[in-house]
Amino acid sequence: SGGLALPVGPVADGPIKRGVDLATTVEYAFDRPQGLWLRGALDVIQYSTTKGLSGPGYAYTLSLNNTATSVVGDLGYRQPLGRVAPYVFVGGGGSYLSSSRLDVQQNGQTQSIGDGSRLVPVVRGGLGLEYRLYRSNVIIYAELTGTLLPEQRVEGERVAFLLPLLGVKFPLF
């Protein structure tokens, strides 16, 4: 599945710009088509941040590219209503943040910009809607996921995204 990565909170569309989200999942349903399910997901969010740098006689605006590659587990519940099935889920895991880090020296002073790469926790939750195609096992779904990287901060604020996703499911049995 794929969609946009929309930053939320005080830093949205300021120092954090919208990006792209791609995800792949494996889901196990305890009692398909309704009830509880577990899924594992590999989720990649690419986004950019901007940072101003100024001093006597200079002013720069730098743009840094960032990638958050997350491995998460979700627990969800779906309730079918005919061929349509709304669902909710919560989950968490770990995210490897790959970010540029620049150390700029000007007039004998060093300013560090960006965080470099590191492993951080990720928390998420969301809701979605599945639609089973007529006379088929193919399921089309739309999902809205809220993702929080609680240890990643930009200008002192936590980094969070809303991820509207569209995708296709192919039940194996």
Side-chain angles (χ1 to χ4, degrees):
S1 59
L4 294 175
L6 306 172
V8 295
V11 292
D13 282 332
I16 299 180
K17 305 298 181 198
R18 76 181 65 160
V20 177
D21 179 49
L22 298 173
T24 186
T25 62
V26 174
E27 182 177 303
Y28 174 77
F30 293 104
D31 187 20
R32 188 110 174 109
Q34 93 179 41
L36 290 175
W37 48 266
L38 286 173
R39 76 174 168 195
L42 174 64
D43 192 20
V44 178
I45 301 172
Q46 292 187 316
Y47 62 100
S48 65
T49 56
T50 58
K51 174 76 174 175
L53 180 65
S54 62
Y58 68 94
Y60 304 106
T61 300
L62 302 173
S63 180
L64 304 174
N65 292 323
N66 304 275
T67 301
T69 303
S70 303
V71 176
V72 296
D74 295 329
L75 175 65
Y77 180 81
R78 98 173 37 82
Q79 180 62 53
L81 305 167
R83 288 199 307 258
V84 175
Y87 62 92
V88 296
F89 65 93
V90 295
S95 185
Y96 178 75
L97 294 177
S98 176
S99 176
S100 303
R101 180 181 171 101
L102 301 173
D103 291 323
V104 179
Q105 291 188 352
Q106 186 80 20
N107 298 330
Q109 294 182 340
T110 301
Q111 291 190 31
S112 295
I113 301 167
D115 294 323
S117 300
R118 65 189 195 288
L119 190 61
V120 298
V122 60
V123 179
R124 62 191 231 148
L127 50 92
L129 189 65
E130 297 178 344
Y131 178 77
R132 183 180 296 272
L133 296 178
Y134 183 68
R135 294 186 181 189
S136 171
N137 274 342
V138 176
I139 298 169
I140 297 171
Y141 70 95
E143 183 174 291
L144 183 62
T145 303
T147 298
L148 172 65
L149 302 167
E151 291 185 10
Q152 174 68 359
R153 295 185 182 270
V154 172
E155 295 187 1
E157 298 293 334
R158 289 187 175 125
V159 174
F161 292 94
L162 280 179
L163 311 170
L165 299 172
L166 294 175
V168 178
K169 295 181 182 181
F170 301 97
L172 298 177
F173 46 87

